Amino acid sequence: AAYMHMLTLAGSLELQLTALIKLHKLPWNITRLGARLELQFCVETPKNAQEARAAQNDILEGAIHLYLLNRGILLTPFHNMMLVCPESSNDDVERLVEVFNECVNTLTRI
């Protein structure tokens, strides 16, 4: 039951974040493996470590992390990773998507 809950929420989060990225026409993607999701600054999911490193943008990553952190949401500090756990709720997913959208709106206005 715990895995089903986590995978269902992770799937919902993946769809919503991907839709926001497309809405804002950003060259980013969400890579998901089970209940782990990662925001990457490239159109396609990297196929190896070299591609993953090339897709990193330390300034953009820092800005997103700080924006979300100042609003009570913590992404994994050494990645743009989001983990859905058995205690995660639909409200948690909605809040993350809402604040991520506000962040992207702010960044795209700059």
Side-chain angles (χ1 to χ4, degrees):
Y3 285 106
M4 183 58 74
H5 171 76
M6 291 164 40
L7 295 175
T8 299
L9 283 181
S12 174
L13 181 57
E14 177 186 23
L15 291 173
Q16 292 180 66
L17 291 176
T18 299
L20 284 176
I21 289 167
K22 288 181 181 180
L23 176 70
H24 291 282
K25 299 179 178 137
L26 297 169
W28 303 351
N29 80 79
I30 298 294
T31 300
R32 178 175 157 233
L33 180 59
R36 177 189 186 272
L37 299 95
E38 188 169 345
L39 168 66
Q40 296 174 307
F41 305 121
C42 52
V43 176
E44 300 287 326
T45 298
K47 293 173 184 55
N48 55 49
Q50 184 177 12
E51 288 181 9
R53 178 63 188 129
Q56 286 183 294
N57 182 322
D58 295 335
I59 293 171
L60 186 55
E61 183 174 320
I64 292 170
H65 280 251
L66 188 58
Y67 188 98
L68 296 177
L69 185 59
N70 283 333
R71 287 149 185 87
I73 297 172
L74 176 66
L75 295 186
T76 303
F78 51 87
H79 289 287
N80 290 318
M81 187 173 25
M82 297 151 267
L83 299 169
V84 177
C85 75
E87 296 300 315
S88 298
S89 69
N90 286 318
D91 289 344
D92 295 327
V93 169
E94 288 177 22
R95 175 82 176 128
L96 173 54
V97 170
E98 174 187 324
V99 175
F100 180 76
N101 187 48
E102 291 169 3
C103 178
V104 171
N105 281 330
T106 300
L107 290 170
T108 56
R109 283 195 309 257
I110 296 174

